[in-house]
Amino acid sequence: MKPVDEYFINQKEPYQSIMLYVRNVILNTLPEVKERCSYKIPFYNIEKKPMIYLNVLKGKDYVDVAFVQGILLENDFPILKNDNKRKQVRSIQLKSIEDLDHENFVALLQVAAQQLKKSKRAWFI
């Protein structure tokens, strides 16, 4: 079993269902994305650069769908929040699958992928 699959299996509900749904949307929207485990959480990379990661932060009751270059996307996608005062990462906090606007999320994924492909490196701050 791959480490990413193991990570999802070990999640409690509703986090497991939310993460598996988000994972499915990411993989279906961006066939070029590579899924891997890094820092013990699932990351989705394009051209070896991290674009998104999924996590359940300690003490929080939501899945954090974090965009590495989110600071560049937050003006066009106000759903992205600056949680935990992160310098460049912005995220969507999901307490249920219904919290995710599917069409808006697909558009966000596509724009984020284009942005990352133009970028020389993912972590710029």
Side-chain angles (χ1 to χ4, degrees):
M1 181 180 304
K2 296 188 315 186
V4 173
D5 293 327
E6 199 170 308
Y7 176 85
F8 291 127
I9 287 171
N10 290 327
Q11 295 303 310
K12 295 177 184 172
E13 287 297 341
Y15 309 126
Q16 183 184 62
S17 296
I18 295 167
M19 288 182 162
L20 289 172
Y21 178 78
V22 170
R23 174 195 203 191
N24 188 45
V25 174
I26 292 168
L27 296 176
N28 286 324
T29 303
L30 303 171
E32 72 274 24
V33 82
K34 300 292 183 223
E35 181 181 57
R36 61 178 228 151
C37 214
S38 187
Y39 305 102
K40 299 183 181 179
I41 59 174
F43 270 79
Y44 297 87
N45 299 348
I46 291 185
E47 299 173 357
K48 298 185 180 181
K49 294 179 280 192
M51 183 175 91
I52 304 171
Y53 61 88
L54 305 178
N55 195 12
V56 178
L57 300 168
K58 288 182 183 176
K60 303 292 183 177
D61 63 345
Y62 56 79
V63 172
D64 196 43
V65 181
F67 286 77
V68 172
Q69 292 189 352
I71 194 170
L72 302 175
L73 304 165
E74 67 183 344
N75 288 337
D76 293 329
F77 296 93
I79 191 170
L80 292 171
K81 306 282 185 238
N82 183 7
D83 190 42
N84 293 334
K85 298 181 176 127
R86 297 180 280 200
K87 291 182 181 178
Q88 84 177 43
V89 173
R90 299 294 182 266
S91 63
I92 301 170
Q93 291 87 36
L94 300 174
K95 292 184 179 184
S96 72
I97 291 172
E98 293 75 29
D99 289 345
L100 186 66
D101 177 341
H102 182 85
E103 288 179 23
N104 193 37
F105 185 59
V106 168
L108 174 55
L109 289 171
Q110 292 168 338
V111 172
Q114 291 170 356
Q115 180 69 42
L116 190 61
K117 287 176 186 176
K118 292 179 199 171
S119 179
K120 294 196 188 305
R121 54 193 179 130
W123 303 97
F124 55 84
I125 294 177

